[in-house]
Amino acid sequence: MRLRRRDFLLTTAAILGGSHIALADSISGSLPWEPDAGIPPERIKLGSWLYFTSEEARTVEALADRIIPPDPATPGGKDAGCAVYLDRQLAGPYGSQHGLYVKPPFLKGLKQQGPQTEDGPAQVYRKGLAALNRYSSQGQDGKVFAELTGERQDEILKGLESGKLQLPEADGQAFFEALLKDIQQGFFADPIYGGNRDMVAWRMIGFPGARYNYRDWVNRHNERYPLPPVGITGRPEWTPKKS
Amino acid sequence: MSRKLPHKDVVIVGFGWVGSIMAQELTDEGLEVIAIERGPWRDTATDYPPTYDQDELRYRIRHELFLRPDQTTFTFRNKMNQTALPIRTWGAFMPPNGVGGGGVHWNAETWRFLPSDFVLKTHLTERYGADFLPSDMTIQDWGVTYEELEPHYDRFEYLCGTSGTAGNLQGQIQEGGNPFEGPRSRPYPNPAQPQPFSHTLFGKAARELGYKPFPQPSGNMSQAYTNPLGVRLGPCTYCGFCEWFGCGNYSKASPQTTILPVLIRKSNFTVRDNSEVVRINLDPSGKTAAGVTFVDTSGEEWEQPADIVIVSAYAIFNAQLMLLSGIGKPYDPLTGEGVMGRNFTHQTISDAVGFFDNTKFNFNPFIASGSIGMCIDEFNGDNFDHGPHGFVGGGYMGQVQSNGRPIETTPVPSGTPRWGAEWKAAVRDNYLSSVKPGTGVHGSFYSYRDVYLDLDPIYKDRFNRPLMRMTIDFHDNELKQNAFLTDRFAEIIQAMGAKKVDKEYRQGPYDITKYQTTHLCGGVIMGTDPRTSAVNRYLQSWDVPNLFVVGASAFPQNAGYNPTGTVAALAYWAAAAIREQYLKNPGVLIHA
Ligand SMILES: Cc1cc2nc3c(=O)[nH]c(=O)nc-3n(C[C@H](O)[C@H](O)[C@H](O)COP(=O)(O)OP(=O)(O)OC[C@H]3O[C@@H](n4cnc5c(N)ncnc54)[C@H](O)[C@@H]3O)c2cc1C
């Protein structure tokens, strides 16, 4: 009997996705389709941090709110759940570079040759967040990043972005680029991953989400699409509220 | 030690578009065929059902349906004097993996190349003189002509149910189609897809500027379709999750939706999934392939003997397998001798992003199919006089925007900060009223002496074999081409009524982190001379006549179109040569 990927996954710790190892099989005679063979995504569970320490999480929430500040109509990165998103991603295959080529030697290359570091995202954040707080608490600020004013936080982020500000024992610019990408991705990804809570990002821009069928609207040019967004697991109103 | 499997007539390496077509054709001939596929079985129910196919993070950002670099990757450098480093995570292109190959998650933009593309060297030399071409450009004629391939293009389009408007029916130019295309024997099997607002507007602007816009040929169904094998596809829903995604609606042409339901039921066909071919085996003479060796996911090694070996593992993997199997003389860029790895090419893509007044324009960018769009072909191939411009080649251009997925498609005007309140407001204000074609300018990439594939001296794969090394950079010819085309394209976006247009030129050096397309070509090229090509005009190895290497690996250079129409036409063409000539008299089809 062929072991389907789903069965295989359910018997391993690889449930977080990304590692779909299946056994080789010889297929002939009929399509090897089976009911319920798919691997639906798992909705993240709210609760304690899986990867971040509480100090790291506080820093990431502060960072998320500078990258995506709250405004009267739309929450910022923190309340949209971007830190939760990032925490769950770092605890999963993304954080550990699952599936990437990580054989040595790690030589320093040209920019166009792509990243050549041994550290995966989980390490980049661990080192980057520590360095950021060391920089702000041991330097002129005398406080950890999350306690600084928004203005000062922006100044530090701009320094990291431009490369003018060097962090102790971490590549500040690479850390910043990872952060920018991940926070924004979490903001726009389906809410099952923890960010874009209540589809706030999709509402902000007018993206209807996972609807999958616009046959009735393809010829209705320059008319606003009337329906609100849905996600993979439905609409916020349909799911029990948890704080 | 490998375990030996029962002998087959044909073994097919890689079960994507080409593998499926070859298997369908050769089983029809009554041959016993086995296909061996590196990745898993894939189908709609298992891998991309409409209940969660719309997951941008999973499929687009985390590459669910693609090869993992730890299974195999390549090293990359721009120039021969640099040290190539491994591609640790995919960027410039994204290798498919699994049954159906790239057919599962392509856009289905289904083009034919121009008649002149197949005789490129001869054509350009006759028109402009040999001195017009850069001295290190190594373009060649294909050894096959458009007229010879036409029936095979036609078969693929009817297999797929391609939706489009003919521009040249048996020599008669048709209103609303592409007037530059080669003559086609009959219309597309389905009418063109209806075009959403921004795509329509592009067509209107292009027409007003004097061009002849036409709908992009699309493998997304404009209506329900039953193909000649009796397999049915449903109408496309413009869901906006097409490129990078499988289709949950059975509306995108793929091996799964056009061939496999028929092929799998044949008693003379078997496919083995999760099995990677590591070597083509030769018999002691070195002139005949004995079969292949593959390794399955449990690490078990198997030998599959066969009379005919078809390599259809996708362009770069074809080249990799040939180099690792030691078949054909490796190309040496210093002497220009050798064939394996020669004339490696990619594509020259750029874009122009238009921002419009959001009180007047609402494009609903999320309403799109993978191959939606209005295009023009005035600047492709040699459709225009290159004399005054000092470059050769070109590409189609168009508003071919296939999605409004918010991680990927939330453009902001240049000058906007990349984060913070201003960025957030710009995202909000521009999402519905901007035009971001993605691959707006789809330019050719011609071949050069110093752009090639060979084996890396440092980095190894999981079997401790050398990774394949890519040496590739943009040359002045392509950068000039791109500047000229991007400017023309931006003029049309401007004429749509944009208040601001950001041009995103393709600039050197070639960057392995920036996605262009997965249209890698060359490395095992076809031609008429065994000194400058690895396979003959029937895709048969010059050195090992029972070995056929089929795919974009055979392109001597890449044209300004997506490759798969031509890849599939070559597959039908090679299959016809095997059925009609080779089987009657197995051996060399062309005596050099
Ligand atoms: C995101 C994306 C969008 C695209 N959009 C378009 C488009 O709109 N229009 C267009 O013309 N083209 C498009 N393409 C390109 C298109 O997918 C390819 O041209 C096409 O799939 C090539 O067919 P093929 O059979 O040569 O290779 P594939 O379809 O890739 O099949 C090759 C198969 O071989 C397997 N394989 C590789 N190595 C081995 C091995 N050693 N042993 C066993 N199996 C092996 C692979 O896993 C794969 O399944 C797109 C590609 C991508 C990635």
Side-chain angles (χ1 to χ4, degrees), chain B residues 12-16 18-20 22 310-314 318 548-551:
Chain B
I12 294 180
V13 181
F15 196 47
V18 172
S20 305
M22 296 302 286
I310 311 275
V311 178
S312 54
Y314 179 76
N318 288 353
F548 291 77
V549 186
V550 188

Side-chain angles (χ1 to χ4, degrees), chain B residues 12-20 35-40 42 66-67 71-72 93-111 156 216-217 242-245 252 255 272 274-279 293-294 311-318 320-321 370-371 396 442 465 515 517-520 550-553 555 561-568:
Chain B
I12 294 180
V13 181
F15 196 47
W17 262 131
V18 172
S20 305
I36 298 171
E37 166 55 45
R38 178 179 61 195
R42 291 197 193 286
F66 293 84
L67 181 68
Q71 183 160 351
T72 195
F93 55 87
M94 195 72 57
N97 195 42
V99 167
V104 167
H105 48 62
W106 70 326
N107 304 52
E109 300 169 342
T110 312
W111 295 85
F156 186 59
Q216 176 167 230
C242 194
E243 181 185 26
W244 312 100
F245 300 77
K252 168 160 74 176
R272 268 187 178 254
N274 289 304
S275 298
E276 179 171 352
V277 172
V278 291
R279 190 166 60 248
T293 297
F294 66 91
V311 178
S312 54
Y314 179 76
I316 32 176
F317 298 115
N318 288 353
Q320 184 189 38
L321 204 53
S371 7
Y396 74 86
H442 196 282
R465 303 177 305 170
Y515 189 75
T517 62
T518 304
H519 305 162
L520 300 163
V550 188
S553 48
F555 294 8
Y561 298 103
N562 312 58
T564 309
T566 302
V567 167

Side-chain angles (χ1 to χ4, degrees), chain B residues 559-590:
Chain B
Y561 298 103
N562 312 58
T564 309
T566 302
V567 167
L570 286 177
Y572 279 115
W573 160 256
I578 294 172
R579 296 176 74 168
E580 290 155 21
Q581 302 178 51
Y582 181 88
L583 290 175
K584 295 198 177 101
N585 187 9
V588 175
L589 291 174
I590 306 270

